[in-house]
Amino acid sequence: MSSTTVDHAHDHSHDHAHDHPHGFRRWLFATNHKDIGSLYLWFAFTMLLSGGVLALMIRAELFQPGLQLVQPEFFNQLTTMHGLIMVFGAIMPAFVGFANWMIPLQIGASDMAFARMNNFSFWLMPPAAILLVASFWVPGGATAAGWTLYAPLSTQMGPGMDMAIFAVHIMGASSIMGSINIITTILNMRAPGMTLMKMPMFCWTWLITAYLLIAVMPVLAGAITMTLTDRHFGTSFFNAAGGGDPVMYQHIFWFFGHPEVYIMILPAFGIVSQIVPAFARKPLFGYASMVYATASIAILSFIVWAHHMFTTGMPVTAQLFFMYATMLISVPTGVKVFNWVATMWKGSMTFETPMLFAVGFIFVFTMGGFTGLILAVTPIDIQLQDTYYVVAHFHYVLVAGSLFALFAGYYYWSPKWTGFMYNETRGKIHFWGSLIAFNVTFFPMHFLGLAGMPRRYADYPAQFTDFNQVATIGAFWFGLMQVYFILAVVIPSIKGGKPAPAKPWDGAEGLEWTVPSPAPFHTFEEPPVVK
Amino acid sequence: VVDSQGGPAVRQLNLQTPVTQIAEQIYSIHNLMLVICLVIFIAVFGVMFYSILKHRKSVGHEAATFHESTAVEIAWTVVPFLIVIGMALPATKTVVAMKDTSNADLTIKVTGMQWKWGYDYLKGEGEGISFLSTLATPRTQVGAPGVAPTEARGDNYLLEVDNQVVVPVNKKVRMITTANDVIHSWTIPAFGVKQDAIPGFVRDTWFKAEKIGTYRGQCVELCGKEHAFMPIVVNVVSDEDYKKWVETKKKEMAAKADDPNKVWTVDELKQRGEKVYAANCVACHQASGKGVPGAFPALDGSAVVAGEKAGQMAIVMNGKNGMPSWKATLSDTEIAAVITYTRNNWSNKSAENIVQPAEVLAARK
Amino acid sequence: MSSSHAKAPYYFVPGPSKWPVLAGSSLLLTMLGASAWVNGLSWGSYANLAGVFLTLVVLYNWFGDAIAESESGQYSARIDVSYRWSMSWFIFSEVMFFAAFFGALFYARSITMPWLADLDHKVLWPDFSGQWGNAGPAGTIESFKTMGPFPIPTINTALLLTSGVTLTIAHHALRAGQRGKTAFWLFATIVLGAVFMGFQAYEYIHAYHELNLKLTSGIYGSTFFMLTGFHGFHVTMGAIMLSVVLFRVLKGHFTPDHHFAFEGAAWYWHFVDVVWLGLYVVVYWL
Ligand code: HEA
Ligand code: HEA
Ligand code: CUA
Ligand SMILES: [Cu+2]
């Protein structure tokens, strides 16, 4: 008996050492999912600003025809690094940050399945970012082959290309480990009674996203490894002279690339599926069909990749197959949109900032989805491929899609993270400002694309000037709204404000709302029981 | 700024005016898609905004509790499925038509190069014609960071070339695309044609322009720093005009075909070389010959230019690192001229100051 | 269950650890070094190798911590399940990595080759036949001979298949609590793996010297060496894992029903086996 007591006391002090790690060790050596989640979110936001600054340089150069601010070779570096940083540095890590914070809380787990590996996944990101950003200063500059790194242009690049390749390798390793962690956590650590079909939608979407990541990140690693050996070790994968094929690179890349875009949107669907019912005060409509739709999108995403390659000259059967397969994806995506609308239908809705961003997401994402559908029609795509129409399409789904969902999620869960309510008025200003500025920036790009303005252009025919100017003004405005977000919303709500109750939203459901706000360092050390 | 003839209009909102049947079909499929999407959009968001207005707490609406309905869910899976198939069917016909490059009246091979286009008329009237086509807009209209343009921009800024492709109206023209270095993409929006040009591979596409006029496009696959500066211009002319053009072009080519055994003076070669330099080399090595530090080496004061001519000939002809091989694109006389030019220009005063075309010819073997 | 098991927490969560951030930093050094190395900078190789070495040191310590936790009975059955899930998904990711290279081989053979040799491409490559195992259409690649399945690859197939059997015997022995027998058959498995690698190295030398078949031998050489090379690398990794397991068996780790490290390494070994069978068929036979 006495030994048990001693043991317990020992355990307790031991726990305490773990309980409140302080100073730099808390972050550097973190094994706590909440701390690691915060690290991811800070990292992602920093990258969003960095990638955003690059975007603003692009937009500034495009304010007028002619070359004013940057040389074309540097412009191409800006475009490439903007794409890489936003995709791999901002959007993906931000979703992983949400996963870290929320999945254990939502399923009643004490932490992620592999806490140390979780920290490793995070601490691979800064090295990758350092490699990417530092490559601007090596001879020849950063890679300028586009974020898709098409061969053989990528073979012509300087050392910056190799740094980008290695950075992507590292980020790939991080994503794979992160995904293994997420899948294992969800499959193995749910609280007793929480069956898969009782799981919150956010966990479902991440489960499926993690599966996509594990399936396609290695393929990307393979593709860029071939690029590396083509560049330095004399292989001929993408070189016709030796019997290789540049188009093969595109096939391998897009086999990764298309699922990748759903990797960036499925968790967004998950966030929105949590928020809409909470503010409609009504359960999510068609939970089961939401799960099936997510799974269908993931499965279909593996067989549509060549819709990025309609102009490479594929056989007609391939063009038709990829056109039909791509268009089919609108069906499960439509199911999601309809379910959200049906959730709102006959609800008792209020429109705090999370709901505003969620509704904004549904509205603007759908526009982006429709332009995607238009691009999926092969003959139309042949007109629009590599024009600003494509740029408009993917910013509608990525910025107003992924990024808006991230904002929605931030407003929804930040009371749980910080223990304080954000300032509602400022949140609304951030929403309306971002929504309007976003459309001012990217809506005119549809017209530019239809009229034929190619993307990745440092200079353009003067007929395109007006819409470009509008876009540039919108871009700076949009950027300012994000500075406002960090300075007027995020930082004040970390420092203080109205204390948040355990459950600040009366319609919200889920285990995360059963713990106090801010969530204590350790939660659910003994799993709760779900009815 | 005014509209570009055969290019984009100012503040143009839709696709360019089609001048082929394919482009016309694309135009109408796009309009159809747009309308269907708009209708669905309005229907879906009409419902959503109705709900947002009426089913809100502030107007006292109580939440219902329903959360599924198999019938509705099946309906909104099946109906979109049918709509999507309905959209794809008319497009299918166009896809098949676009791929049918058989029975062409004229076949032209187009080669993408950093950063210009090469055209070879392979089959049909005009067979044998071959020329390069580069941006005609002078750099003085473009400007550079910190250097304002010194000349007003024309209406076809960045959409004009020195040698236009000329084709007869109402004839089926098959374009075979390939490339020398990286992937480029050849397009004329008004024709509804866009085809990547892939190094080491050939691909093809076709058009049959139904209206006389000049039509413009631009390279649409990222191909390096001058990607924005390699436009495409196609001049569609009547049958007669086409015949005339073929004749003059053939004569011109015959006259231009320099005898590689002719012996030139330094000044003659320098003069010729300056043009070759401006058309081919200036993008990287710059007009000043100073290159771009870290990216493109300077020729002014270069050891290679000052050294033995064989060394410089080898680099120009075979390429090195980022420098392409010019063997195939420049004639013996042009290579000799441009080397002689660099050896006697700027501050350069090379010991071996002249290269004759015959020497280049010899080096080819 | 092991005797110490009763004490295990519901789900053991490790405390703060310095290993992950150190591993990240040493990988940064590795990759910076690699970038410099492939571009011919003299310090690159040193930085790269130092990075690899440091990474290994960190991993050694990290795994040491994990093994200590496991042996002190901190790992409940639930953790065991986590390890099983994670190893399965890790192997799935490896499958996809190989899929990229198998895909490249398939694409090059069945799509690129016929394409380059078709009528349209006579414009560019008038004399190209497209027979698999050629030196490319441009004539820039030295001619070479292709690699057949006899005798080495076939011997290697036999070796790997046998190693699968010996490993299974070792597993049965471990489950029966026969430590000596386990160690013996585990050792035999590692030896078979090493012999396989020996033959593979010999084959490469043969390819370079007698067949003039090199990494630079066009798409054939590229796919041949990258596929077999990555496979060989994975065999090495598998052999290292098995060696660690052997070492732990000798140290008295594991119990008849608690030995996931052994099983994980064994799964990996079988995966490497299966990849080889794929290689044997599509690289050597077809
Ligand atoms: C989050 C990212 C994301 C998402 C979700 C999507 C979603 C879709 N995308 Fe997009 N796409 C990108 C990111 C994304 N895309 C990126 C980054 C690129 C460019 C890459 C590059 O080249 O750099 C790209 C490029 C791209 C192309 C290639 C363009 C080109 O380069 O020529 C195509 C072509 O088919 C396409 C199609 C689609 C389709 C059909 C969808 C569908 O999933 C959309 C489905 C949604 C809807 C249709 C709306 C909701 C549905 C309803 C309301 C139901 C009712 C509808 C009907 C019955 C019609 N996308
Ligand atoms: C993944 C997400 C993502 C996001 C969020 C964005 C965000 C933005 N993008 Fe992005 N974009 C891509 C992904 C993304 N983009 C991709 C994949 C490409 C293709 C690349 C390629 O072709 O290879 C692309 C290409 C692309 C182009 C085409 C470039 C070209 O073809 O040459 C343009 C042009 O306007 C553009 C603009 C913008 C703008 C204005 C934003 C804005 O939303 C950005 C908002 C701005 C900020 C958030 C910055 C805020 C900061 C400040 C205002 C300064 C503060 C100062 C300090 C911190 C000191 N993008
Ligand atoms: Cu040539 Cu872009
Ligand atoms: Cu896609």
Side-chain angles (χ1 to χ4, degrees):
Chain A
M1 199 58 220
S2 67
S3 83
T4 341
T5 337
V6 173
D7 243 25
H8 187 78
H10 169 80
D11 253 25
H12 199 72
S13 63
H14 185 69
D15 251 347
H16 250 280
H18 291 178
D19 241 344
H20 300 292
H22 285 295
F24 75 93
R25 289 159 174 276
R26 170 169 177 197
W27 302 107
L28 235 44
F29 303 160
T31 45
N32 179 289
H33 72 100
K34 302 179 186 86
D35 283 354
I36 295 175
S38 302
L39 283 170
Y40 263 111
L41 291 171
W42 280 112
F43 173 82
F45 198 79
T46 314
M47 286 291 115
L48 178 73
L49 290 187
S50 324
V53 169
L54 301 185
L56 295 185
M57 288 166 81
I58 294 174
R59 285 309 332 159
E61 173 59 49
L62 294 179
F63 189 64
Q64 288 172 49
L67 297 172
Q68 290 84 28
L69 303 169
V70 296
Q71 294 286 1
E73 58 271 29
F74 185 61
F75 181 91
N76 292 347
Q77 296 176 29
L78 291 176
T79 298
T80 305
M81 297 302 275
H82 164 70
L84 285 173
I85 287 180
M86 285 300 195
V87 169
F88 293 106
I91 302 294
M92 290 171 66
F95 281 125
V96 181
F98 272 80
N100 260 295
W101 251 105
M102 299 320 300
I103 289 177
L105 284 179
Q106 288 195 321
I107 63 174
S110 56
D111 206 300
M112 297 293 282
F114 301 98
R116 255 185 315 238
M117 185 169 84
N118 197 19
N119 188 24
F120 189 35
S121 298
F122 172 75
W123 280 107
L124 284 176
M125 297 309 292
I130 291 170
L131 277 168
L132 275 181
V133 174
S135 74
F136 270 114
W137 285 276
V138 301
T143 171
W147 84 281
T148 48
L149 306 176
Y150 274 12
L153 187 59
S154 55
T155 322
Q156 288 186 348
M157 297 290 141
M161 180 74 208
D162 303 305
M163 295 171 77
I165 289 177
F166 290 127
V168 174
H169 274 136
I170 294 184
M171 291 186 287
S174 163
S175 289
I176 291 171
M177 283 189 282
S179 302
I180 289 177
N181 225 330
I182 288 170
I183 294 189
T184 307
T185 306
I186 294 178
L187 291 181
N188 193 34
M189 296 176 71
R190 274 169 289 123
M194 181 175 285
T195 59
L196 281 175
M197 289 311 267
K198 278 189 192 161
M199 201 162 68
M201 270 313 287
F202 180 65
C203 298
W204 255 116
T205 53
W206 244 117
L207 179 65
I208 291 168
T209 303
Y211 155 74
L212 283 179
L213 273 167
I214 297 178
V216 300
M217 287 311 287
V219 176
L220 174 67
I224 57 176
T225 303
M226 292 181 219
T227 304
L228 186 78
T229 59
D230 267 15
R231 283 167 55 79
H232 296 292
F233 303 108
T235 55
S236 306
F237 286 107
F238 310 132
N239 179 359
D245 188 345
V247 176
M248 180 164 89
Y249 174 84
Q250 299 184 19
H251 280 290
I252 305 176
F253 179 86
W254 288 116
F255 183 83
F256 148 80
H258 187 81
E260 167 69 13
V261 307
Y262 293 112
I263 287 166
M264 292 188 281
I265 204 68
L266 294 183
F269 290 166
I271 292 175
V272 170
S273 303
Q274 304 282 162
I275 293 174
V276 171
F279 293 88
R281 292 166 182 77
K282 200 168 143 274
L284 181 66
F285 187 88
Y287 175 93
S289 66
M290 282 300 218
V291 172
Y292 302 141
T294 313
S296 319
I297 293 173
I299 292 163
L300 283 173
S301 77
F302 285 111
I303 55 161
V304 301
W305 75 88
H307 63 220
H308 297 273
M309 302 169 55
F310 284 141
T311 59
T312 58
M314 288 183 291
V316 64
T317 41
Q319 293 200 331
L320 291 174
F321 172 80
F322 285 109
M323 170 170 84
Y324 277 88
T326 303
M327 294 183 78
L328 280 186
I329 296 198
S330 348
V331 176
T333 316
V335 168
K336 299 211 138 233
V337 172
F338 300 141
N339 280 346
W340 289 322
V341 174
T343 307
M344 292 157 77
W345 187 252
K346 289 196 185 297
S348 175
M349 280 186 278
T350 52
F351 295 92
E352 290 88 344
T353 314
M355 184 63 164
L356 284 179
F357 267 107
V359 173
F361 166 94
I362 300 173
F363 187 73
V364 196
F365 167 81
T366 304
M367 287 170 69
F370 280 137
T371 54
L373 192 66
I374 288 174
L375 285 169
V377 179
T378 311
I380 305 181
D381 181 72
I382 286 176
Q383 281 285 35
L384 298 177
Q385 132 82 206
D386 260 323
T387 68
Y388 262 78
Y389 194 89
V390 179
V391 177
H393 156 64
F394 67 72
H395 284 91
Y396 265 79
V397 281
L398 278 169
V399 179
S402 313
L403 191 59
F404 275 24
L406 286 163
F407 287 143
Y410 171 82
Y411 286 103
Y412 184 57
W413 282 311
S414 76
K416 186 59 60 193
W417 302 343
T418 64
F420 298 113
M421 295 305 291
Y422 61 88
N423 181 318
E424 194 60 59
T425 319
R426 293 180 180 181
K428 290 200 164 111
I429 292 174
H430 176 223
F431 169 73
W432 287 109
S434 296
L435 183 77
I436 297 170
F438 168 80
N439 283 290
V440 172
T441 312
F442 294 104
F443 200 75
M445 291 188 189
H446 294 111
F447 301 135
L448 288 173
L450 287 166
M453 175 169 162
R455 61 193 279 212
R456 298 163 171 171
Y457 259 30
D459 189 7
Y460 52 82
Q463 285 79 13
F464 299 129
T465 311
D466 293 348
F467 288 134
N468 270 300
Q469 297 197 327
V470 175
T472 300
I473 293 167
F476 277 84
W477 178 8
F478 187 83
L480 277 182
M481 290 321 297
Q482 307 329 315
V483 176
Y484 177 82
F485 171 63
I486 186 80
L487 295 182
V489 180
V490 177
I491 291 180
S493 83
I494 291 173
K495 291 207 176 126
K498 210 173 90 205
K503 185 175 148 193
W505 319 114
D506 46 336
E509 285 201 37
L511 290 174
E512 73 258 41
W513 307 112
T514 62
V515 302
S517 299
F521 199 68
H522 291 300
T523 36
F524 300 128
E525 279 175 301
E526 285 303 319
V529 176
V530 179
K531 17 105 231 195
Chain B
V1 198
V2 301
D3 298 353
S4 158
Q5 286 311 308
V10 178
R11 263 172 266 137
Q12 179 181 316
L13 299 179
N14 205 339
L15 294 164
Q16 291 186 16
T17 321
V19 291
T20 65
Q21 271 175 21
I22 295 285
E24 215 147 286
Q25 288 176 25
I26 296 176
Y27 198 96
S28 56
I29 299 173
H30 175 252
N31 283 349
L32 176 72
M33 291 283 300
L34 207 58
V35 169
I36 301 177
C37 288
L38 261 176
V39 169
I40 302 175
F41 194 80
I42 292 170
V44 173
F45 289 99
V47 174
M48 189 177 92
F49 282 111
Y50 176 85
S51 171
I52 285 178
L53 288 179
K54 300 284 168 159
H55 306 151
R56 53 166 72 214
K57 200 175 170 195
S58 54
V59 300
H61 197 273
E62 296 278 327
T65 52
F66 66 87
H67 57 87
E68 62 190 351
S69 156
T70 314
V72 174
E73 286 168 65
I74 289 178
W76 68 41
T77 309
V78 173
V79 172
F81 178 81
L82 297 176
I83 297 178
V84 158
I85 299 296
M87 288 168 159
L89 283 176
T92 305
K93 218 177 68 221
T94 309
V95 176
V96 175
M98 288 172 98
K99 290 301 274 184
D100 177 18
T101 54
S102 60
N103 299 323
D105 301 305
L106 179 63
T107 303
I108 304 175
K109 179 172 134 217
V110 43
T111 309
M113 297 169 229
Q114 286 171 320
W115 288 273
K116 56 179 154 310
W117 296 98
Y119 296 94
D120 297 280
Y121 285 58
L122 289 189
K123 236 194 264 154
E125 195 172 359
E127 193 174 321
I129 293 179
S130 122
F131 54 88
L132 291 176
S133 173
T134 45
L135 177 72
T137 306
R139 296 282 155 159
T140 45
Q141 291 186 13
V142 180
V147 186
T150 53
E151 198 183 324
R153 298 200 172 102
D155 296 342
N156 290 313
Y157 176 71
L158 298 189
L159 292 168
E160 49 202 348
V161 296
D162 51 1
N163 294 312
Q164 308 182 344
V165 187
V166 178
V167 297
V169 71
N170 283 325
K171 289 272 157 59
K172 182 164 184 178
V173 181
R174 176 174 179 232
M175 301 298 296
I176 298 188
T177 65
T178 184
N180 277 356
D181 30 49
V182 299
I183 305 178
H184 304 263
S185 191
W186 194 89
T187 181
I188 295 287
F191 296 170
V193 162
K194 181 178 291 160
Q195 177 58 55
D196 290 359
I198 299 158
F201 288 81
V202 300
R203 294 289 202 274
D204 64 354
T205 182
W206 68 276
F207 62 86
K208 185 170 177 184
E210 295 178 341
K211 226 176 109 208
I212 291 175
T214 306
Y215 302 99
R216 298 166 201 277
Q218 293 175 287
C219 177
V220 277
E221 182 64 57
L222 179 61
C223 54
K225 71 191 207 53
E226 304 285 294
H227 168 50
F229 303 102
M230 48 182 296
I232 301 148
V233 181
V234 176
N235 197 358
V236 179
V237 297
S238 68
D239 263 348
E240 288 150 49
D241 288 348
Y242 183 68
K243 280 199 179 69
K244 275 190 224 145
W245 177 78
V246 168
E247 259 168 50
T248 44
K249 198 77 194 169
K250 288 223 154 142
K251 278 198 201 118
E252 213 176 278
M253 281 178 62
K256 253 207 181 151
D258 306 288
D259 172 9
N261 294 315
K262 177 179 164 197
V263 178
W264 298 59
T265 68
V266 174
D267 281 342
E268 282 170 344
L269 280 174
K270 246 188 94 173
Q271 236 173 11
R272 179 78 184 272
E274 187 170 3
K275 290 199 195 99
V276 180
Y277 187 85
N280 299 288
C281 318
V282 81
C284 299
H285 297 295
Q286 308 297 320
S288 62
K290 294 259 191 293
V292 175
F296 306 107
L299 299 181
D300 189 10
S302 144
V304 176
V305 178
E308 283 182 20
K309 52 191 177 187
Q312 192 182 358
M313 273 159 66
I315 293 182
V316 173
M317 294 175 67
N318 304 320
K320 190 184 169 191
N321 303 333
M323 168 92 165
S325 155
W326 296 96
K327 227 174 358 204
T329 33
L330 296 182
S331 72
D332 299 335
T333 311
E334 285 169 323
I335 293 177
V338 78
I339 293 178
T340 307
Y341 171 73
T342 58
R343 289 184 165 249
N344 297 286
N345 201 34
W346 309 299
S347 65
N348 291 344
K349 289 189 185 56
S350 311
E352 301 184 351
N353 74 338
I354 183 164
V355 174
Q356 291 292 351
E359 293 173 71
V360 178
L361 183 66
R364 280 191 196 269
K365 284 167 190 151
Chain C
M1 298 275 148
S2 73
S3 58
S4 50
H5 212 124
K7 277 203 315 209
Y10 178 77
Y11 198 95
F12 174 78
V13 177
S17 165
K18 56 178 173 296
W19 305 125
V21 66
L22 288 178
S25 316
S26 40
L27 272 178
L28 174 61
L29 182 63
T30 310
M31 291 313 194
L32 274 176
S35 311
W37 194 358
V38 294
N39 285 289
L41 296 182
S42 54
W43 55 270
S45 55
Y46 301 110
N48 175 259
L49 295 175
V52 171
F53 176 74
L54 287 175
T55 312
L56 291 177
V57 170
V58 171
L59 289 184
Y60 179 82
N61 283 290
W62 182 341
F63 293 161
D65 279 4
I67 291 169
E69 285 155 13
S70 171
E71 287 303 309
S72 65
Q74 306 266 40
Y75 286 3
S76 58
R78 196 166 278 269
I79 293 218
D80 204 59
V81 176
S82 281
Y83 274 110
R84 279 163 207 279
W85 275 123
S86 64
M87 193 67 194
S88 324
W89 286 96
F90 171 63
I91 290 176
F92 174 57
S93 80
E94 292 273 40
V95 169
M96 292 310 292
F97 182 74
F98 275 99
F101 288 90
F102 276 106
L105 175 62
F106 166 80
Y107 189 90
R109 288 190 66 158
S110 346
I111 297 177
T112 304
M113 279 305 142
W115 218 330
L116 279 173
D118 75 6
L119 221 54
D120 281 343
H121 284 76
K122 293 285 176 249
V123 182
L124 297 177
W125 318 114
D127 322 308
F128 186 61
S129 75
Q131 198 65 35
W132 179 241
N134 61 66
T140 46
I141 284 162
E142 287 177 42
S143 67
F144 58 85
K145 291 206 196 67
T146 58
M147 184 69 74
F150 297 110
I152 294 175
T154 307
I155 298 175
N156 266 348
T157 309
L159 286 174
L160 274 194
L161 287 178
T162 316
S163 77
V165 176
T166 53
L167 188 57
T168 307
I169 299 175
H171 191 196
H172 282 295
L174 181 58
R175 283 222 296 239
Q178 300 160 307
R179 206 163 276 278
K181 196 174 162 196
T182 310
F184 175 79
W185 288 107
L186 200 49
F187 182 69
T189 311
I190 298 166
V191 169
L192 286 169
V195 175
F196 171 93
M197 285 307 293
F199 272 118
Q200 190 76 0
Y202 176 78
E203 186 194 67
Y204 276 15
I205 294 169
H206 170 68
Y208 264 73
H209 291 282
E210 274 120 66
L211 305 180
N212 198 31
L213 170 60
K214 302 178 177 165
L215 185 58
T216 50
S217 299
I219 187 70
Y220 183 88
S222 309
T223 48
F224 176 80
F225 282 105
M226 293 295 274
L227 272 165
T228 54
F230 271 119
H231 176 261
F233 175 71
H234 281 77
V235 173
T236 313
M237 300 288 296
I240 292 173
M241 287 185 204
L242 290 177
S243 306
V244 172
V245 169
L246 174 61
F247 183 73
R248 291 184 61 189
V249 168
L250 295 175
K251 268 186 85 174
H253 291 186
F254 305 130
T255 62
D257 44 30
H258 196 77
H259 51 255
F260 179 70
F262 182 104
E263 287 171 307
W267 291 353
Y268 195 78
W269 192 257
H270 292 311
F271 150 71
V272 170
D273 243 10
V274 172
V275 172
W276 175 260
L277 291 180
L279 282 181
Y280 184 59
V281 175
V282 303
V283 174
Y284 294 100
W285 270 103
L286 295 180

